[in-house]
Amino acid sequence: MPGNPLLNSPHLLQKISLSPVMLRLMQEAIKPEPDFAVMGETIRLDPALATTILNLVNSAFYGLPQKVTDLHRAALVLGSREILKVAVSMTLHKDLEHGFPDCHYDFYPDWRLIVWSSIAAELLAQKLCPEEADHAYLCSLLKDVSLLFLRCAAKECLPEPEQRDRITVLSKGQLERETEAWGMNHCALSQLLLAKWGIPAGMCDSVRFHHAMDSLSELPPLTQAVVLATQWSEMELGHSSGPFSVVQFEGLLRSVLSLSDKEVDELRAQCLGKFRSMLASLGITEGEENRPYYRHSVKAMQGYCFLSMDLLTVEGGLSAVARVLGKHVKLNWDVKSWDLALRLPHGEGFRLFHLTPKGELEREEGVHEFSALPWRIRSQALEIGSSGHRLGELRLGDADLPPAEMDNLALYLRFFGQGFEHYCARHAVLEEKALVFDQIPVGVARLDASGRVVEGNRRLDEFLNLAAPARGQLLAELLPRRLPGETGAEFAAFVADGSRRSFGKIDYFLCKGPDGSAQDGALCLSAHREEDGGVLALLEDLRELSEMEVQTLRRKGFLERLVSSMQELVLTVGADGVVQYCSRQEYGLVGRRFFDAFAPAEASVAVWSPSLLAEGGQPHVEAVLRATGGVELPFELSISPLGGKGCGGQGQPRASLARECLVVGRDLTQIRRLEAKLKLRAMLDALTGLYNHYQFHTTLEREASRSRRTGRPMGLVFFDLDKFKDVNDAQGHVAGDNVLRAVGATLLHLVRQGMDYPCRYGGDEFAVIVTEVDEERLHAIARRIIEDVRAQFGGAVTVSLGCAMLREGEAPQELLKRVDNLAYKAKASGGDVMMAG
């Protein structure tokens, strides 16, 4: 490729070539039928390699009943291709570890990822494309060979040459940086190297797209196996974006492979067993004890994931966050006393909380550096962190937990840490705004219609010599603490006279300077009445005007940097509706019409034009941003006028005219995705698409209550499958799952949408809640279910069904028990029959 600095360097290409033994083994590996004679001769060239292979063959990786002592016997027991696959893995490991003596790089973290992904790719391919399972192993083993060899032979060519470990873990923007430096990314470079070494094109394509998670459904099965294995290794070994992503990935595996939770657990256990055996044979430890997620079950991670979601809705500051954690550790580990440090949402500094043995939550006064926290408990510390940042620490007081429970608690804290990181991202913006509010050199107070302070900044308290915040007090009664009494009386009269729109007065007085000497003081008090009758009051120190002029440009730059660092989108929009400032340059909004760039997401927004800016702003409006490139992003917008009301000509108010506005937008993308996933997961059975067990009981209670209230009758159909166990035993669980899906599809086809509720009660048991139905119609539906299932499976699977109407005064659970008994009688009578009651 012309212009590529790597491929145009013969010396470099020679340095990153594979050893002759590795090349010969790879040539045999891609053959339809490997030649054992050639393979055996190649392996015997390296006695240490032969010994290592035999050690692995006799390990728990394969679980052979008798010890194997020579390669020929191993090939007879396991097959030549399996021995060849092991030999390729061992040789690659040796080439990397011993082929570059001057390379000071720790390969073990990368090799753990490679081993997991290779084993996982083979297991996944056995389900997606069984005939290509061996190729999936080889592709995953070699997918990052370009990065590994470059790190050893020419690390200066890497975009991040000083990276210490885990070079095979994809970082944000890595592919783009590689393309800029090399003219291609490492996936394409590995593909070219493998093609140069004689690997077939189909396998090379899997290597090229091994990071293409976004287009997974469009890829061939072999490539899907390699992509999923790559992602799986990064998730399970704890090096990816956080524990939430691990739970989401387990759900993706269930969806792509059509597996149950139990089957996913079995697949993980199989992968883990082979992973540990391979590492042991290579002399590699498993690494940091607290990092890999594979040490924990899918069920445990799902439980802690749902617990941490409490932080998405918590309100009340860090004290409320501490209470959430305390509730969780009390219920799950019976921990009754602890110390908890939490980082402030807006940045540096920590607050310390104590839970006493009496159950009282105490907060230590002040903000502390982490090294200076006044801990009361000196026991083992459990770190709370996310994305490589320390967010806090938990110390247990009275709990003596066994090691397994300590591991579970540490796992929970990893989920809690990521949830707390999201909390900080949301609340840091609000705290940063409050920080700016306190730092402006003007006292600001927002008053209600009676003149009481609703909100005020720190400078207001300083100007009025207040020991405590002014919130809740009448500003007119506070003003005489610094200003003449008549000024307070005049301001009270202004507040009482609703017809006056503004107030202004300058007062001169004597005050004490920093050294205690008398100094002249001058404060300007101004106030403006808002549309809702409230008042915005400003106190400005006239002595600081000249100094303020000197600092204007510096403060402007500081505020722009501060706003651009916020998580929220900040805009200013002119009276003509054109965006004048945007904190996110990548959206390209400056100069665009605000009402063209955003479209309302709520039908309740009647006006979407510059006239909206004249209506006093909107507290919350959901809208979709049409960014450059066709991307649409959901935002919650808050629109408020800048600079007060403003005036038209001749000093007349211009309430009906548009004015310059401040727009603050909160990105709702992640929230919407999470809401959709949680809603579906909470309501539907993943295998059949019917309502799940929990939703069945919720719906039954609701519809029974509605039936009693409206007098409209309802009934219940309950059945299980006859001879379903025979299908599982004879054809396997995949066939059984297909039967359950087909029955679910039949129910969805039969029922009336919005009136009947088909549910999977559990296992092979199903139910249909039928509303606004008489007994004759209920029996017709039941008979139709029996007939359709019998016809669908040719009598190989039938149903034993019970049905009944809800009786007057009957509880929902009584109806369920009655119908369940009828289904049991139907089963006892030989099945394929309906029992009505």
Side-chain angles (χ1 to χ4, degrees):
M1 178 176 291
N4 187 295
L6 301 180
L7 299 182
N8 293 336
S9 173
H11 176 67
L12 180 57
L13 285 177
Q14 183 179 7
K15 290 176 67 177
I16 64 175
S17 294
L18 295 173
S19 66
V21 171
M22 181 65 178
L23 290 173
R24 289 181 65 182
L25 291 173
M26 283 175 53
Q27 292 303 317
E28 288 301 313
I30 62 178
K31 290 180 180 179
E33 293 295 335
D35 186 336
F36 177 76
V38 175
M39 179 183 70
E41 178 185 352
T42 304
I43 294 175
R44 291 188 186 95
L45 294 175
D46 186 347
L49 174 60
T51 301
T52 304
I53 291 173
L54 289 175
N55 288 338
L56 180 60
V57 168
N58 288 300
S59 71
F61 189 91
Y62 292 104
L64 298 180
Q66 295 182 346
K67 185 175 182 180
V68 176
T69 57
D70 62 81
L71 292 176
H72 186 267
R73 175 64 179 167
L76 290 177
V77 175
L78 298 176
S80 298
R81 186 170 295 280
E82 189 68 22
I83 297 300
L84 186 56
K85 187 172 59 182
V86 173
V88 170
S89 304
M90 301 294 186
T91 305
L92 177 61
H93 176 256
K94 184 176 180 180
D95 284 357
L96 290 172
E97 187 170 2
H98 303 298
F100 301 92
D102 297 329
C103 176
H104 304 292
Y105 180 71
D106 182 7
F107 277 108
Y108 284 1
D110 286 295
W111 194 251
R112 295 184 194 103
L113 290 157
I114 293 169
V115 170
W116 184 285
S117 65
S118 302
I119 295 169
E122 182 179 24
L123 293 175
L124 293 170
Q126 287 172 359
K127 297 183 178 296
L128 295 170
C129 49
E131 69 283 355
E132 297 183 288
D134 294 325
H135 288 174
Y137 182 97
L138 188 61
C139 289
S140 195
L141 185 73
L142 299 172
K143 58 185 170 55
D144 292 311
V145 68
S146 59
L147 286 176
L148 296 169
F149 277 109
L150 280 175
R151 181 59 182 80
C152 295
K155 73 173 186 177
E156 67 279 359
C157 295
L158 295 173
E160 299 177 10
E162 298 306 321
Q163 186 170 343
R164 300 177 63 86
D165 62 7
R166 300 186 186 94
I167 197 173
T168 58
V169 176
L170 187 69
S171 61
K172 185 177 181 180
Q174 177 182 336
L175 299 180
E176 291 76 10
R177 293 192 298 273
E178 291 171 350
T179 301
E180 182 179 354
W182 307 337
M184 63 175 65
N185 58 45
H186 75 272
C187 310
L189 182 58
S190 292
Q191 178 198 31
L192 289 177
L193 290 174
L194 293 178
K196 176 176 177 287
W197 296 331
I199 299 297
M203 296 174 61
C204 291
D205 285 343
S206 298
V207 170
R208 180 169 187 172
F209 296 107
H210 71 269
H211 285 303
M213 276 295 296
D214 291 340
S215 55
L216 181 69
S217 61
E218 304 168 9
L219 300 174
L222 173 61
T223 307
Q224 286 186 3
V226 175
V227 171
L228 288 171
T230 301
Q231 188 80 353
W232 197 2
S233 67
E234 296 187 12
M235 295 291 180
E236 290 286 7
L237 272 67
H239 310 309
S240 194
S241 55
F244 286 176
S245 300
V246 180
V247 176
Q248 292 173 353
F249 183 77
E250 301 291 354
L252 177 65
L253 281 183
R254 289 194 298 273
S255 174
V256 173
L257 302 178
S258 299
L259 300 178
S260 65
D261 286 347
K262 180 180 179 182
E263 289 169 327
V264 171
D265 272 335
E266 290 172 351
L267 186 65
R268 289 176 85 231
Q270 187 179 4
C271 189
L272 177 58
K274 293 189 173 186
F275 170 75
R276 285 173 165 164
S277 295
M278 177 69 85
L279 290 188
S281 298
L282 296 173
I284 300 175
T285 63
E286 289 188 45
E288 301 172 60
E289 289 293 328
N290 64 332
R291 295 206 61 172
Y293 291 107
Y294 59 68
R295 301 176 187 274
H296 307 278
S297 69
V298 175
K299 183 177 180 180
M301 289 192 290
Q302 288 175 338
Y304 298 144
C305 179
F306 281 113
L307 284 178
S308 65
M309 287 181 184
D310 287 349
L311 293 177
L312 296 178
T313 56
V314 69
E315 294 181 357
L318 292 184
S319 295
V321 174
R323 290 190 186 95
V324 168
L325 182 141
K327 177 182 69 175
H328 292 168
V329 299
K330 174 67 172 66
L331 291 176
N332 290 277
W333 292 277
D334 197 30
V335 176
K336 299 175 182 176
S337 64
W338 41 255
D339 281 1
L340 173 66
L342 292 174
R343 197 191 72 179
L344 296 179
H346 63 264
E348 300 301 324
F350 291 78
R351 285 200 180 277
L352 184 62
F353 298 87
H354 311 281
L355 184 70
T356 68
K358 296 181 179 180
E360 299 173 348
L361 182 66
E362 299 177 356
R363 191 185 79 174
E364 197 76 33
E365 290 299 322
V367 176
H368 306 270
E369 293 292 330
F370 186 82
S371 59
L373 284 166
W375 299 99
R376 296 180 186 174
I377 297 174
R378 304 295 177 182
S379 65
Q380 178 183 0
L382 297 171
E383 182 177 339
I384 301 172
S386 182
S387 304
H389 302 293
R390 182 196 293 272
L391 302 178
E393 185 171 294
L394 175 68
R395 297 187 178 186
L396 308 182
D398 60 344
D400 185 17
L401 300 178
E405 287 303 310
M406 287 296 288
D407 286 346
N408 287 334
L409 178 55
L411 176 64
Y412 160 74
L413 291 178
R414 294 173 77 175
F415 280 96
F416 180 88
Q418 191 170 6
F420 182 58
E421 183 181 42
H422 294 169
Y423 168 88
C424 291
R426 187 172 72 252
H427 287 264
V429 175
L430 300 177
E431 295 194 14
E432 286 170 351
K433 290 177 183 177
L435 179 63
V436 173
F437 186 51
D438 276 341
Q439 288 184 341
I440 60 176
V442 177
V444 182
R446 186 165 61 88
L447 315 179
D448 62 18
S450 66
R452 293 188 182 276
V453 178
V454 176
E455 188 177 7
N457 67 348
R458 179 173 52 84
R459 189 57 62 94
L460 175 76
D461 299 337
E462 293 176 356
F463 283 162
L464 298 180
N465 292 328
L466 300 179
R471 187 185 182 98
Q473 302 182 63
L474 290 170
L475 182 61
E477 295 179 358
L478 298 176
L479 291 174
R481 300 174 68 93
R482 174 59 69 93
L483 303 178
E486 57 268 22
T487 299
E490 292 173 11
F491 184 78
F494 159 72
V495 172
D497 185 356
S499 63
R500 294 177 60 184
R501 310 307 299 172
S502 61
F503 173 88
K505 187 177 181 183
I506 297 176
D507 283 308
Y508 295 91
F509 51 88
L510 288 177
C511 61
K512 289 185 178 180
D515 59 356
S517 61
Q519 293 184 353
D520 290 328
L523 285 176
C524 174
L525 171 64
S526 60
H528 308 272
R529 197 178 303 277
E530 300 294 327
E531 291 285 346
D532 60 359
V535 175
L536 180 67
L538 305 175
L539 269 175
E540 188 174 4
D541 191 340
L542 298 184
R543 296 172 305 165
E544 297 181 0
L545 282 179
S546 59
E547 181 180 355
M548 287 173 56
E549 292 170 350
V550 172
Q551 299 295 332
T552 296
L553 291 178
R554 184 180 301 171
R555 286 183 180 135
K556 177 177 179 292
F558 164 76
L559 290 175
E560 286 182 349
R561 292 193 303 273
L562 187 63
V563 171
S564 64
S565 69
M566 293 180 179
Q567 296 291 329
E568 293 180 331
L569 175 68
V570 180
L571 310 171
T572 58
V573 182
D576 56 356
V578 176
V579 178
Q580 299 173 339
Y581 169 81
C582 176
S583 61
R584 304 281 183 84
Q585 296 182 3
E586 63 269 23
Y587 291 157
L589 294 179
V590 175
R592 292 181 62 187
R593 294 185 59 80
F594 172 82
F595 295 97
D596 293 336
F598 288 88
E602 301 173 348
S604 59
V605 182
V607 178
W608 193 253
S609 67
S611 60
L612 182 69
L613 306 180
E615 298 177 359
Q618 292 285 328
H620 298 290
V621 174
E622 288 196 18
V624 175
L625 167 61
R626 302 186 183 107
T628 54
V631 178
E632 293 190 351
L633 302 172
F635 278 88
E636 181 185 67
L637 303 178
S638 176
I639 304 174
S640 56
L642 280 174
K645 282 178 58 65
C647 292
Q650 306 300 320
Q652 298 299 318
R654 58 172 191 177
S656 62
L657 299 179
R659 83 265 332 247
E660 187 178 14
C661 281
L662 173 70
V663 180
V664 179
R666 182 163 65 104
D667 192 343
L668 303 178
T669 303
Q670 294 297 330
I671 293 176
R672 291 292 177 262
R673 289 176 182 170
L674 184 60
E675 286 175 348
K677 289 179 180 178
L678 290 178
K679 185 175 180 181
L680 284 177
R681 185 176 295 173
M683 293 179 61
L684 300 182
D685 172 61
L687 182 63
T688 63
L690 305 180
Y691 291 110
N692 59 24
H693 182 92
Y694 173 82
Q695 195 66 23
F696 164 77
H697 285 284
T698 301
T699 306
L700 182 61
E701 292 281 347
R702 184 191 69 215
E703 294 304 322
S705 176
R706 180 182 297 171
S707 176
R708 287 192 295 268
R709 187 175 65 254
T710 63
R712 296 174 180 174
M714 66 162 285
L716 178 63
V717 176
F718 192 95
F719 65 91
D720 68 355
L721 303 182
D722 304 324
K723 296 173 281 189
F724 178 73
K725 185 176 184 300
D726 296 340
V727 175
N728 271 337
D729 293 344
Q731 302 177 41
H733 290 286
V734 173
D737 286 350
N738 291 335
V739 169
L740 296 176
R741 289 193 194 93
V743 173
T746 297
L747 293 181
L748 289 172
H749 176 71
L750 286 176
V751 301
R752 299 166 296 172
Q753 187 172 3
M755 298 182 69
D756 303 336
Y757 303 92
C759 310
R760 183 184 178 194
Y761 190 81
D764 63 341
E765 295 177 323
F766 296 83
V768 182
I769 301 168
V770 187
T771 66
E772 299 187 19
V773 66
D774 56 23
E775 191 170 28
E776 181 180 354
R777 172 62 180 163
L778 180 68
H779 292 175
I781 291 174
R783 285 192 293 271
R784 181 71 181 276
I785 292 173
I786 293 174
E787 294 165 0
D788 283 10
V789 172
R790 183 194 304 129
Q792 185 171 18
F793 300 102
V797 176
T798 57
V799 302
S800 294
L801 183 146
C803 64
M805 300 291 295
L806 178 66
R807 296 171 177 169
E808 184 174 354
E810 186 177 40
Q813 294 304 315
E814 293 173 345
L815 172 62
L816 174 60
K817 183 177 181 181
R818 188 158 55 89
V819 176
D820 186 26
N821 288 335
L822 290 170
Y824 180 83
K825 292 179 181 178
K827 175 73 76 173
S829 68
D832 195 20
V833 69
M834 174 188 79
M835 291 288 182

